[in-house]
Amino acid sequence: MEKELIKSFTYENLLVKVREWGFKDYTAKQIFSWLWQKGIEDFSQMTDIAKEKREFLKANFQIKVLEREKVLTSRDGTKKFLLSLLDRNKIEAVFIPEDKRRTVCVSTQVGCPLGCHFCLTARLGFKRNLKFYEILDQVQKIRKDFGQITNVVFMGMGEPFLNFEEVMKAVGILSSDFGFKIGQRHITISTAGILEGIYRLAESAWNVKLAISLNSPKDEVRSFLMPINQKYPIGELIKSLRYYVKKKRRRITIEYVLIKGLNDQEGDALLLGKILRGLPSKINLIPFNPFPGSDFSPPSEKEVENFASLLSLHYPYLITIRKSRGRDILAGCGQLIGR
Ligand code: SAH
């Protein structure tokens, strides 16, 4: 029989529990930081907790949440972790080492319900939301193998804003001093444009970075690529982003996957610049990552640069071209399927 999961308690829950067990309040903090700050995997390592207490915990709880099934390493150093959940569902997390940053890209759902046509994850369909501790354990597993993590991006499998509560609990522990100690400005949540999530984040006290997968300035094209656009069309989306930026006084990131012949034309670049006018932001252009069975292809390098320079005619902010990492191991954007 599986024991109860000690990692399923938030700090507040754990505090209630330790009182129930007759432990002192400070034990909650001790247990919590052993689990999430130090990342131990066995109760016997909780050396500042009395032995009988450790034995009690060991008899009643388990620490394990994720099992590492496989690690693939890309030519560029990116690593893709295939992880198995206790219910045997599979998810993926990606480790992206750079000169100054060591980023983990986490999944928030098993599969994804949004069905974007250019994204391989969509083909899995949707299985379930991840719990906060299943999100955190992805970072933990990678940290254990590769050391301290500086940045976390919620850009793996799934739509974070369809799992808002658990995602924000995970953010809380990532940024906590007795959790992972990763500053909120080093945490990015990427959304396909779920308006409720954007407004909720705008009203909240969280200071994470927000990224939006826009992918076309035209409703017809965007609805074709991303069916969610029928529910939340571009006009409404931009309105929510203006509200967000005003409320938070922070710029946002616009992600734009460039697909040959679909959203990479001169008219797209010019219109994109126009609809974003006056919205403090930066644009990240991502050449489409091909995968088996997709009909799309990326524009050439020259066409991407051309798009960027046309865009800059109307768009006064920073434009970057994302060098997708880990494509040879299907660890690039939109290539995660948990296999
Ligand atoms: N659901 C959220 C989080 C996933 S982020 C969101 O949509 O933002 C995944 C990012 O990868 C998105 O910006 C998406 O537009 C991009 N993407 C998906 N498939 C891709 C592909 N085949 N090539 C390049 N980028 C892709």
Side-chain angles (χ1 to χ4, degrees):
M1 204 190 74
E2 298 277 358
K3 292 176 189 165
E4 207 177 342
L5 304 181
I6 190 89
K7 284 181 171 170
S8 70
F9 299 125
T10 60
Y11 174 68
E12 292 72 23
N13 297 151
L14 199 54
L15 194 57
V16 174
K17 283 284 167 187
V18 298
R19 285 175 184 163
E20 257 175 54
W21 303 329
F23 296 2
K24 291 272 193 299
D25 279 5
Y26 62 76
T27 341
K29 203 174 247 175
Q30 287 174 316
I31 296 172
F32 200 84
S33 56
W34 280 114
L35 294 174
W36 293 124
Q37 190 195 77
K38 304 184 187 91
I40 54 108
E41 297 194 337
D42 196 309
F43 288 106
S44 62
Q45 291 168 281
M46 297 186 171
T47 47
D48 57 1
I49 296 176
K51 194 141 177 262
E52 328 79 74
K53 291 196 178 110
R54 276 186 258 158
E55 268 156 19
F56 164 82
L57 292 170
K58 197 177 174 122
N60 293 285
F61 294 96
Q62 76 175 53
I63 295 180
K64 192 169 97 178
V65 168
L66 295 178
E67 180 97 67
R68 207 185 91 167
E69 295 247 323
K70 204 186 238 170
V71 183
L72 294 176
T73 304
S74 159
R75 282 191 291 273
D76 65 21
T78 302
K79 307 213 179 241
K80 182 165 87 163
F81 279 61
L82 176 63
L83 302 161
S84 160
L85 298 153
L86 293 172
D87 65 6
R88 296 180 183 259
N89 274 310
K90 309 265 189 280
I91 52 169
E92 295 182 336
V94 181
F95 174 57
I96 309 157
E98 292 169 293
D99 291 346
K100 292 197 184 107
R101 279 187 293 204
R102 305 166 61 74
T103 304
V104 173
C105 173
V106 294
S107 295
T108 55
Q109 298 182 314
V110 183
C112 183
L114 293 184
C116 300
H117 285 309
F118 54 92
C119 180
L120 186 56
T121 305
R123 306 208 168 173
L124 284 176
F126 174 67
K127 301 250 171 61
R128 69 170 175 88
N129 279 331
L130 293 179
K131 292 290 192 184
F132 77 89
Y133 52 89
E134 294 170 323
I135 298 171
L136 291 173
D137 221 42
Q138 299 170 51
V139 184
Q140 168 50 30
K141 279 275 175 290
I142 293 180
R143 181 178 64 175
K144 187 172 153 257
D145 287 358
F146 297 106
Q148 203 47 53
I149 299 304
T150 61
N151 294 67
V152 173
V153 296
F154 287 79
M155 297 187 185
M157 297 162 65
E159 167 51 47
F161 282 167
L162 294 179
N163 189 15
F164 194 92
E165 299 287 333
E166 297 298 315
V167 164
M168 297 326 288
K169 273 188 219 167
V171 165
I173 297 171
L174 284 172
S175 56
S176 147
D177 274 349
F178 47 105
F180 289 77
K181 291 190 182 170
I182 297 172
Q184 287 181 31
R185 298 308 293 164
H186 295 239
I187 298 173
T188 302
I189 298 182
S190 177
T191 177
I194 307 294
L195 296 201
E196 287 87 348
I198 297 168
Y199 284 113
R200 261 180 101 174
L201 194 64
E203 301 301 342
S204 77
W206 297 108
N207 268 314
V208 294
K209 288 191 185 172
L210 179 63
I212 307 293
S213 301
L214 188 57
N215 301 335
S216 173
K218 299 177 184 160
D219 274 318
E220 203 186 296
V221 177
R222 191 169 193 267
S223 293
F224 166 70
L225 291 172
M226 308 175 73
I228 189 70
N229 190 67
Q230 288 156 18
K231 188 162 176 200
Y232 306 113
I234 297 171
E236 297 292 307
L237 176 57
I238 302 289
K239 197 169 128 202
S240 74
L241 297 176
R242 289 194 196 284
Y243 181 81
Y244 179 90
V245 162
K246 202 163 143 218
K247 193 92 191 178
K248 288 284 181 200
R249 300 173 177 279
R250 300 270 193 198
R251 69 174 185 176
I252 53 164
T253 298
I254 302 288
E255 297 161 281
Y256 195 99
V257 179
L258 281 164
I259 304 173
K260 197 180 177 74
L262 255 174
N263 62 1
D264 66 339
Q265 305 295 298
E266 184 175 331
D268 296 310
L270 298 175
L271 187 58
L272 181 61
K274 277 189 196 151
I275 65 166
L276 297 177
R277 195 174 281 161
L279 181 71
S281 55
K282 68 170 181 183
I283 292 187
N284 202 206
L285 299 173
I286 314 167
F288 173 73
N289 286 323
F291 52 83
S294 91
D295 310 326
F296 303 139
S297 56
S300 70
E301 218 168 291
K302 180 126 197 304
E303 287 166 323
V304 173
E305 271 160 30
N306 203 24
F307 188 91
S309 61
L310 281 168
L311 176 58
S312 68
L313 293 178
H314 289 295
Y315 185 76
Y317 310 109
L318 182 67
I319 303 169
T320 56
I321 298 172
R322 185 184 295 174
K323 241 183 45 219
S324 241
R325 305 272 313 247
R327 278 195 294 185
D328 51 334
I329 54 166
L330 286 184
C333 303
Q335 294 183 310
L336 302 183
I337 45 168
R339 243 179 250 154

